Amino acid sequence: MIRQVISSLRDVYNIDFVSYKPITSKTYKLTGQNEAFYFAKRSNLYTQEKYLFLFNQGIENVLYPLRNRRGFFVTNFQNDNYYVTDYINGFDLINEVKAVNMSHQLSDLHYKTYFRRQLSVSFSRLKMEEIYEYLQYKFSALEAFVRSIESRPFDEYSITILKNYHVILDCKKVMAVVHKRLISDIKEKKSVNYAFVHNNPKLNHLITAQGHHYLTSIEKSKVGIPSLDMAKFYIETEDLNIDVKAIIQDYLSKYQDDFYTYYFYFLVMLYYIKGMVIIDKDYISSQSFLSTTSSLKRFMEMFELNKDKTT
């Protein structure tokens, strides 16, 4: 199948690809004549419009695909979509430097694409209530699990779970307060910044070469509230030896509105809770439970969320 794709790409890009090497299940390194290298990726239908929007906005910190013969960034082939870029050997930076660079590039992307919009009472509130209902289910499942442990003889596994369950209770309390605050802003139809958010700011989605930084892999990107990118950025970098709190606070303080901070709090805790693996009320992965509670504890302590800061 991929041979047919490469053959088709030769025609639409007027490039004689002589060989290819898989990188992942969706990406390939292509070799053209004269040892020129290219990068090809299977993408989705909407990526073309995203690249076109960013290009017309004059965004320069995104790695754009080559245009095909029809002038499109993305090429459709048998119900699949592919794009091709020059293959860039990015400079190998340590992750701490990559993280700082990523925060700057996200900030630049948000600033150059932002617009003001009122929060929608019909859509935003409904979405927040759906999320909160999901959280109540997850917290109830965790409580049932803990109760089942308490009814059985204690062992090393159960003691570890019980010792850390208070973190979940603390998280539940904080999220209830933050959720109430966000709902209040939605009811008031607060006007907030929306922007083009990357939505997948992993460190390997930033390439540095010849003094320039380029965001890549924008398939999950969308128009949204910038706090979304910062929440995912925090989770991506929480284990690095950087002052991530200062980076986040410096970014959020520019808005001079604590709505973005509360939304950031809510999203980080939501993603941690969603990521906890629950098999049924009698079994939860201990590794998942301990990893989640450890991350939640660190996050709430870092931003002092257990000190009535959210009230």
Side-chain angles (χ1 to χ4, degrees):
M1 174 63 180
I2 187 58
R3 289 189 176 88
Q4 291 178 297
V5 172
I6 300 302
S7 177
S8 177
L9 293 178
R10 290 190 187 104
D11 297 331
V12 296
Y13 287 97
N14 291 325
I15 299 174
D16 187 14
F17 300 118
V18 296
S19 64
Y20 69 91
K21 179 180 180 181
I23 301 174
T24 68
S25 60
K26 293 183 178 181
T27 60
Y28 305 87
K29 182 178 182 180
L30 311 180
T31 303
Q33 289 184 330
N34 301 319
E35 292 298 308
F37 298 108
Y38 303 88
F39 174 85
K41 184 175 183 180
R42 187 168 75 250
S43 189
N44 60 57
L45 179 65
Y46 304 105
T47 305
Q48 162 65 25
E49 296 302 319
K50 295 174 182 180
Y51 277 120
L52 190 61
F53 168 79
L54 294 171
F55 181 80
N56 287 317
Q57 285 286 107
I59 304 304
E60 298 179 348
N61 65 337
V62 168
L63 181 62
Y64 292 97
L66 303 176
R67 289 181 182 264
N68 61 27
R69 283 167 46 183
R70 298 178 61 190
F72 295 160
F73 289 114
V74 178
T75 299
N76 179 268
F77 178 78
Q78 294 185 358
N79 297 321
D80 270 332
N81 296 275
Y82 293 83
Y83 63 78
V84 176
T85 71
D86 291 318
Y87 190 89
I88 297 178
N89 283 312
F91 187 72
D92 190 20
L93 300 171
I94 62 172
N95 283 338
E96 284 75 8
V97 175
K98 284 184 180 180
V100 174
N101 290 339
M102 174 63 84
S103 70
H104 292 160
Q105 299 313 308
L106 291 175
S107 179
D108 188 57
L109 176 66
H110 299 161
Y111 177 74
K112 292 181 178 178
T113 60
Y114 88 90
F115 61 95
R116 301 284 288 180
R117 174 192 286 173
Q118 283 186 322
L119 294 169
S120 167
V121 174
S122 58
F123 177 78
S124 299
R125 183 171 182 179
L126 178 62
K127 188 66 176 178
M128 288 297 291
E129 294 298 351
E130 289 176 352
I131 292 173
Y132 200 64
E133 286 182 11
Y134 164 80
L135 287 169
Q136 294 311 301
Y137 149 74
K138 204 75 178 271
F139 287 131
S140 295
L142 288 167
E143 182 180 2
F145 170 64
V146 170
R147 297 293 173 258
S148 70
I149 287 181
E150 289 177 332
S151 66
R152 302 194 298 263
F154 288 172
D155 56 22
E156 184 177 348
Y157 167 76
S158 61
I159 291 174
T160 302
I161 297 294
L162 294 174
K163 282 177 61 178
N164 289 278
Y165 181 55
H166 72 92
V167 176
I168 301 297
L169 296 177
D170 291 341
C171 175
K172 181 180 179 180
K173 176 183 176 182
V174 171
M175 293 194 78
V177 175
V178 173
H179 176 264
K180 183 178 180 180
R181 180 66 177 267
L182 294 174
I183 290 295
S184 175
D185 286 337
I186 292 171
K187 287 180 179 179
E188 294 176 4
K189 297 183 180 179
K190 173 173 278 194
S191 180
V192 301
N193 279 26
Y194 282 76
F196 190 93
V197 295
H198 188 283
N199 201 24
N200 194 20
K202 296 185 179 301
L203 297 186
N204 60 359
H205 292 165
L206 182 70
I207 294 177
T208 298
Q210 298 180 354
H212 298 283
H213 306 291
Y214 302 100
L215 295 165
T216 67
S217 301
I218 68 166
E219 283 82 357
K220 295 182 179 180
S221 61
K222 62 180 182 178
V223 171
I225 297 171
S227 303
L228 172 64
D229 267 348
M230 301 317 292
K232 293 189 174 183
F233 169 80
Y234 170 83
I235 293 172
E236 170 73 4
T237 61
E238 65 169 320
D239 293 324
L240 297 182
N241 186 20
I242 59 173
D243 191 349
V244 66
K245 179 182 179 181
I247 292 173
I248 297 293
Q249 289 183 330
D250 180 63
Y251 173 88
L252 294 173
S253 66
K254 296 175 183 178
Y255 291 100
Q256 298 182 337
D257 186 338
D258 59 12
F259 166 80
Y260 303 92
T261 299
Y262 284 104
Y263 193 43
F264 163 76
Y265 293 157
F266 188 82
L267 288 174
V268 172
M269 290 184 286
L270 171 65
Y271 291 137
Y272 281 137
I273 294 297
K274 286 183 68 175
M276 192 181 303
V277 180
I278 298 179
I279 308 301
D280 56 43
K281 70 179 182 65
D282 294 320
Y283 181 74
I284 293 177
S285 165
S286 59
Q287 182 177 2
S288 175
F289 183 91
L290 293 175
S291 174
T292 299
T293 52
S294 174
S295 293
L296 282 170
K297 182 180 179 181
R298 183 188 308 121
F299 175 71
M300 290 188 290
E301 288 178 348
M302 179 181 295
F303 290 93
E304 302 177 330
L305 298 182
N306 279 332
K307 298 181 179 180
D308 297 326
K309 186 177 180 179
T310 57
T311 58

